[in-house]
Amino acid sequence: MLIDGHGRKVDYLRVSVTERCNFRCQYCMPEKPFSWVPKENLLSYEDLFKFIKVSIDEGITKVRITGGEPLLREGLDKFIKMVYDYKNDIDLALTTNGFLLPKVAQKLKDAGLKRINISLDTLKPDVAAKIAQKNVLETVLKGIQAADDAGLKIKINCVPIKGINDQEITDVLDFCKERGYTIRFIEFMENHHAKEGAKGLNSDEMKEIISRKYKNFEEVPRDTSSPAQYYKLEDGYQFGIIEPHKDDFCAACNRIRLTAEGFLIPCLYFEDAMSIKDAVQNNRIDEAVAILKKVLADKPEKNKWSVKDDNETSTRAFYETGG
């Protein structure tokens, strides 16, 4: 069992396989040029797998593959199968923008993927193009359908931004409700890489918009392992809101992140990290485990988004960590 320095059980590993992305979303990396870490600097799937294996042995029960956009890295289904074959009851998930899903959803499911989180910030093509800076909506919707057809359990992530997609919250909720998908609305996490001036909605503002159509919904007792607070409509459908600006977001934190370059990151907000790259490439697995435990011992108690100061902005590049 892995326990961090504040007594929290850590059983969830998020593994970024690339920092590359085919979108330029306003809340993430709108100005990032098409210049990237050279492929030779990234850990191979084999080396990533070495660390995943030992992490599972130490107590990790959930592995999520992220990016950037993870589907940009070739052979991802083979990597997923490596993890599945090692421990087929692991909670194996993927986060994606959905654009490349139409051609690979079934291959991912066949490889052992169980769940998938897909970003859907709008149902309007022009708004999607404004957010992602390319025409993406039609293909993303096809990707969602392909994942559904493959039998993957689907969650939809939506980041409401003021003046852009904030009035579509109920529309996206209804889209998911009609299809049986779980929707989580995510408070915008202020970061230096986002478009200047971007402002998100807080959870109270989101709930107020939803209440215009759904007058009565109730808070569901919080699952301490989930970053989302869930709410139940009168017909039983549940939607979630992820609130990084509240302390309980951190109190329930059970995760740690590994970047494609081998940096082990204890907290999404902070830049602190230690590299396991040399250790795994040279098969010094005990050293990698020691680094893992050192990072957990130093894991911060909470982020700073909850600080009552509008200037609290993370310098973390979320496209490197699957934020």
Side-chain angles (χ1 to χ4, degrees):
M1 183 181 297
L2 296 169
I3 304 294
D4 74 7
H6 301 281
R8 295 170 296 198
K9 180 181 177 181
V10 174
D11 56 8
Y12 178 6
L13 176 66
R14 296 175 65 101
V15 180
S16 172
V17 295
T18 181
E19 67 160 8
R20 296 173 185 246
C21 191
N22 47 354
F23 288 12
R24 290 292 177 274
C25 293
Q26 295 197 23
Y27 50 76
C28 182
M29 51 185 295
E31 307 302 329
K32 176 75 175 177
F34 284 90
S35 59
W36 303 99
V37 173
K39 288 184 178 180
E40 56 267 27
N41 288 16
L42 305 182
L43 284 176
S44 67
Y45 283 146
E46 289 74 20
D47 286 332
L48 287 170
F49 180 54
K50 290 176 194 175
F51 186 76
I52 290 173
K53 281 199 302 183
V54 73
S55 298
I56 291 172
D57 293 344
E58 291 290 330
I60 292 295
T61 61
K62 177 178 179 179
V63 175
R64 177 173 293 276
I65 311 300
T66 70
E69 171 47 51
L71 298 183
L72 286 173
R73 186 158 176 181
E74 294 180 3
L76 188 65
D77 57 314
K78 296 180 178 63
F79 177 53
I80 288 170
K81 191 173 189 312
M82 290 164 67
V83 179
Y84 178 81
D85 286 347
Y86 184 69
K87 197 171 193 303
N88 61 19
D89 63 346
I90 201 79
D91 187 356
L92 191 50
L94 174 80
T95 294
T96 174
N97 60 34
F99 193 80
L100 299 174
L101 265 180
K103 294 182 179 180
V104 300
Q106 189 62 57
K107 287 173 64 176
L108 298 174
K109 179 67 164 61
D110 293 344
L113 189 69
K114 299 176 181 177
R115 301 190 299 108
I116 193 162
N117 287 13
I118 306 170
S119 296
L120 182 68
D121 295 317
T122 175
L123 296 171
K124 297 177 179 179
D126 59 328
V127 177
K130 184 175 183 179
I131 293 172
Q133 302 191 67
K134 71 186 286 187
N135 293 318
V136 300
L137 183 60
E138 182 180 359
T139 306
V140 168
L141 292 176
K142 289 179 180 176
I144 293 171
Q145 187 60 54
D148 199 342
D149 292 343
L152 290 164
K153 186 175 180 180
I154 296 171
K155 286 184 180 178
I156 300 295
N157 293 336
C158 177
V159 181
I161 301 295
K162 289 184 178 180
I164 298 179
N165 64 334
D166 50 335
Q167 295 307 310
E168 289 189 74
I169 288 175
T170 307
D171 293 337
V172 176
L173 186 153
D174 286 343
F175 173 89
C176 296
K177 180 172 176 287
E178 290 165 5
R179 291 161 177 79
Y181 308 151
T182 297
I183 174 73
R184 283 116 44 94
F185 299 102
I186 305 174
E187 291 182 344
F188 169 60
M189 301 178 216
E190 293 81 3
N191 67 94
H192 287 304
H193 300 272
K195 183 178 177 62
E196 186 175 355
K199 296 288 184 183
L201 276 69
N202 63 37
S203 60
D204 289 339
E205 291 170 320
M206 296 181 204
K207 287 185 286 185
E208 191 280 324
I209 291 171
I210 293 169
S211 71
R212 296 173 195 171
K213 179 171 183 178
Y214 297 102
K215 303 298 182 185
N216 300 305
F217 56 84
E218 61 184 32
E219 188 172 294
V220 176
R222 192 181 185 97
D223 176 353
T224 56
S225 67
S226 173
Q229 173 62 61
Y230 280 91
Y231 300 87
K232 184 168 65 175
L233 303 182
E234 288 184 296
D235 63 4
Y237 178 76
Q238 295 187 16
F239 67 91
I241 300 179
I242 295 179
E243 308 165 290
H245 299 84
K246 292 187 177 180
D247 286 349
D248 53 4
F249 175 83
C250 297
C253 186
N254 65 334
R255 61 195 65 84
I256 195 164
R257 294 169 168 82
L258 178 65
T259 73
E261 289 188 271
F263 288 101
L264 202 54
I265 297 168
C267 177
L268 182 60
Y269 184 97
F270 295 99
E271 284 288 353
D272 302 343
M274 293 182 70
S275 178
I276 52 93
K277 184 175 184 177
D278 185 64
V280 296
Q281 286 183 330
N282 291 284
N283 293 310
R284 298 196 301 272
I285 303 305
D286 288 347
E287 181 180 330
V289 172
I291 293 169
L292 169 61
K293 293 184 176 180
K294 168 64 173 171
V295 168
L296 288 177
D298 295 340
K299 184 174 169 66
E301 182 179 10
K302 62 181 68 174
N303 64 51
K304 290 187 176 181
W305 281 303
S306 59
V307 175
K308 303 304 181 184
D309 182 345
D310 290 340
N311 294 321
E312 283 299 337
T313 302
S314 176
T315 58
R316 166 68 61 200
F318 294 160
Y319 55 84
E320 296 176 347
T321 60

